[in-house]
Amino acid sequence: MKYCFGWMDSPGVQLVGRKQKIVIKVPTMNNPKCRSKAMKAVVSLPGVISATLEGNDMDQLAVVGDGVDSVTLTTLLRKKMGITELISLTVVDEKKEEEKKEEEKKPSIETVAWPTSSAYQYSVPQPMHYVYQDPYRDNCCIM
């Protein structure tokens, strides 16, 4: 487990092996340049799967990752952007996501009726035999 030294001398919350969603509010993200700077800083951390902008003013970052330390993420954004506030930390339930994906991917099942009449039945073709007779066989002139 990683330890964060700075304004807090306690370990951050890190759930290894489980996806977690961290929502951080950064009020200083008021233009596209600041937003891209914050996104680059977030994505540079190991274990980050996705990062999106949320909120009415697009001032919240939602980070989904596996083994991402929330305190390290918050302090990194404080160094890069200034004021940051950790809003929530939740465990993402993978089963619900998989069920949603399966529901979306389920194709409609249609039954197909194959024709069973005798008009569509085929027999095995018989091999053809050719008999070849040499026309010059009876006309032997050697004797």
Side-chain angles (χ1 to χ4, degrees):
M1 185 167 285
K2 295 180 182 179
Y3 288 93
C4 175
F5 298 103
W7 69 278
M8 244 177 126
D9 289 333
S10 63
V13 177
Q14 181 180 21
L15 300 173
V16 178
R18 300 194 66 187
K19 285 185 181 179
Q20 56 188 357
K21 182 178 180 180
I22 305 167
V23 180
I24 299 175
K25 183 174 181 177
V26 184
T28 58
M29 288 193 311
N30 49 11
N31 59 21
K33 185 177 178 181
C34 292
R35 289 185 188 115
S36 67
K37 183 178 177 182
M39 292 289 277
K40 285 180 186 178
V42 167
V43 175
S44 68
L45 287 175
V48 173
I49 296 171
S50 68
T52 57
L53 292 170
E54 291 182 349
N56 293 336
D57 299 330
M58 302 294 275
D59 62 346
Q60 294 179 359
L61 280 168
V63 180
V64 177
D66 185 17
V68 179
D69 189 11
S70 60
V71 174
T72 304
L73 180 63
T74 307
T75 54
L76 176 70
L77 283 172
R78 279 196 180 127
K79 287 179 183 178
K80 297 277 184 179
M81 303 300 297
I83 302 168
T84 56
E85 180 183 349
L86 182 61
I87 301 292
S88 69
L89 173 68
T90 57
V91 176
V92 177
D93 191 16
E94 296 176 8
K95 292 179 184 177
K96 288 182 182 177
E97 288 182 359
E98 291 175 2
E99 289 175 3
K100 288 179 185 177
K101 289 179 184 178
E102 287 176 6
E103 289 176 4
E104 292 174 0
K105 292 182 181 179
K106 283 186 180 177
S108 60
I109 299 173
E110 298 178 6
T111 57
V112 178
W114 294 98
T116 57
S117 93
S118 62
Y120 292 107
Q121 294 179 354
Y122 296 103
S123 63
V124 178
Q126 298 295 323
M128 300 182 79
H129 298 283
Y130 292 103
V131 178
Y132 177 74
Q133 292 182 351
D134 190 11
Y136 302 108
R137 186 170 186 206
D138 295 334
N139 300 333
C140 186
C141 315
I142 296 177
M143 279 194 176

